[in-house]
Amino acid sequence: MKKTHELLKELRIKNKYTQEDIATHLGTTQQTYSHYELGLREIPLHHIVTLSHLYKVSTDYLLSIDTPYTGHTNLSQEYIKGMSLHDIIFNIQKLDNEKRKSLVQFIKFLDTQDELD
């Protein structure tokens, strides 16, 4: 399991940000942020929350909490055909209540089809 400071660097690079970009986003200096990535300084919880929103991952994921809870999944990773779970959830939230109900009914229907096979 990777440590928080390793994940911070990995996510920053993956998302093509510089340390200066992230420091500015957090309202801190590049040097301070560099210390977070190097593990020389503990990153404050409010920065963890801010970065979880930026990278679309849970705070559990950033804090390297190893639990069976699926919330630690990286929601920004590709899930299916160029879409992340975050994209899918975002699109579901845009649906009106009736369409959401229909979607849930369809998911239940698909689930019952697996039982028939």
Side-chain angles (χ1 to χ4, degrees), residues 4 7 12-13 21 33 36 47 64-65 69 73 98 110:
T4 298
L7 288 171
R12 178 181 57 78
I13 291 169
D21 293 333
Y33 181 76
Y36 298 153
H47 287 338
S64 302
I65 296 173
Y69 171 63
T73 302
E98 286 303 311
L110 290 176

Side-chain angles (χ1 to χ4, degrees), residues 3-113:
K3 295 183 179 183
T4 298
H5 70 276
E6 295 168 323
L7 288 171
L8 292 175
K9 183 175 183 178
E10 182 180 285
L11 287 167
R12 178 181 57 78
I13 291 169
K14 179 181 174 186
N15 288 277
K16 299 179 177 144
Y17 291 121
T18 64
Q19 285 186 345
E20 185 66 36
D21 293 333
I22 300 302
T24 299
H25 187 75
L26 296 176
T28 191
T29 66
Q30 183 273 327
Q31 182 178 6
T32 298
Y33 181 76
S34 174
H35 287 169
Y36 298 153
E37 277 192 8
L38 293 170
L40 300 175
R41 188 169 177 178
E42 193 74 28
I43 184 165
L45 186 57
H46 65 280
H47 287 338
I48 292 287
V49 171
T50 301
L51 291 173
S52 75
H53 292 139
L54 176 67
Y55 294 130
K56 299 177 182 136
V57 297
S58 72
T59 53
D60 282 358
Y61 178 79
L62 285 178
L63 294 170
S64 302
I65 296 173
D66 188 19
T67 68
Y69 171 63
T70 58
H72 72 285
T73 302
N74 182 343
L75 296 178
S76 64
Q77 283 182 318
E78 184 174 358
Y79 185 69
I80 188 167
K81 295 185 182 184
M83 291 186 76
S84 68
L85 284 173
H86 178 267
D87 297 331
I88 293 166
I89 293 167
F90 181 77
N91 288 330
I92 290 170
Q93 289 174 330
K94 291 191 309 184
L95 297 174
D96 65 38
N97 202 32
E98 286 303 311
K99 288 180 181 175
R100 275 191 237 142
K101 286 179 184 177
S102 295
L103 179 60
V104 170
Q105 289 172 343
F106 183 66
I107 292 169
K108 288 179 180 179
F109 168 77
L110 290 176
D111 192 40
T112 61
Q113 296 304 302

